[in-house]
Amino acid sequence: GDVASMMVGGIAALLLQMLHPAVLAGVRDHSNFRADMHGRLRRTARFVSLTTYGERALALAAIERVRRIHAGVRGTLPDGTPYAASDPELLAWVHVAETNCFLRSWIRYGEPGMLMADQDRYFAEMAEVGQALGADPVPRNRGEARALIQAMRPRLRCDEHTEETARLVLARPASASAAAPLQALALDAAADLLPDWAARMHG
């Protein structure tokens, strides 16, 4: 259902997004993900829920909060390249990775027979959120999403920082022992949800 597909899609999106060095640097240098991984995933799920199902005023307020946070996230990569979370192209990668993974998860676990037209409509509707966050370009259908991901692939990397962060995500202890089996299934499912090329990059 919605909760399971959102959990799996959120983890897969994080694994895909972190292949971009600037996204990874922003997470590593400007968040407490190491101490609060579950909290980060919950906040992502809440944002997606609000912008998908919430009233317009609540969705816009959530988007504005994220924009304010992004405004303060900037730094320099090890090679000297500056980055900023408010960079439209960087936001475009985060957006397309997230929408792609959430849709793949919904198709696999919620609606295997989802019509192509409905998949295109999903991207078109989510484009409003991406634009409001400042992303550019923003895909409006499956073809545009595939093209954007393909265009971004040469900029993606997997180094020791990526590997360390992925291990933190995939080996994070469950918040309660009773939840451990469910979490293990979700993590395996998220890794399996990645595009083949991304899974190979992560090893």
Side-chain angles (χ1 to χ4, degrees):
D2 286 5
V3 175
S5 69
M6 191 174 292
M7 179 189 303
V8 173
I11 298 168
L14 184 58
L15 291 170
L16 187 56
Q17 289 164 352
M18 72 171 64
L19 290 172
H20 194 299
V23 173
L24 180 64
V27 171
R28 289 175 62 90
D29 299 343
H30 297 273
S31 76
N32 64 339
F33 80 98
R34 292 176 181 84
D36 190 26
M37 182 64 68
H38 296 296
R40 178 178 174 81
L41 290 171
R42 280 196 302 272
R43 288 189 293 274
T44 299
R46 176 172 169 74
F47 177 81
V48 172
S49 295
L50 279 173
T51 53
T52 303
Y53 304 114
E55 296 177 4
R56 184 172 182 82
L58 292 175
L60 291 174
I63 289 169
E64 184 55 34
R65 279 195 298 275
V66 171
R67 287 182 68 106
R68 285 198 302 270
I69 292 169
H70 284 170
V73 176
R74 57 183 62 247
T76 305
L77 298 177
D79 66 1
T81 304
Y83 70 85
S86 56
D87 178 355
E89 192 174 271
L90 200 57
L91 288 167
W93 169 247
V94 171
H95 175 78
V96 73
E98 189 171 89
T99 50
N100 181 67
C101 287
F102 277 115
L103 180 60
R104 286 167 68 97
S105 185
W106 174 250
I107 291 171
R108 183 169 297 183
Y109 300 108
E111 190 180 350
M114 188 177 190
L115 297 175
M116 297 296 184
D118 289 337
Q119 295 178 39
D120 284 341
R121 193 175 77 233
Y122 167 76
F123 280 109
E125 291 174 354
M126 292 305 293
E128 292 188 36
V129 178
Q131 285 184 317
L133 285 168
D136 185 39
V138 176
R140 295 188 168 277
N141 54 53
R142 294 167 60 253
E144 291 181 4
R146 281 196 305 270
L148 180 54
I149 290 172
Q150 189 65 24
M152 293 296 292
R153 281 184 60 181
R155 304 176 202 183
L156 307 182
R157 301 285 182 272
C158 187
D159 59 18
E160 66 272 16
H161 299 301
T162 321
E163 292 171 358
E164 178 198 8
T165 307
R167 281 196 301 272
L168 287 171
V169 173
L170 296 172
R172 192 74 183 170
S175 55
S177 58
L182 177 60
Q183 178 172 300
L185 283 173
L187 293 170
D188 285 346
D192 187 55
L193 201 67
L194 290 171
D196 290 343
W197 58 266
R200 288 194 298 272
M201 288 182 73
H202 275 295

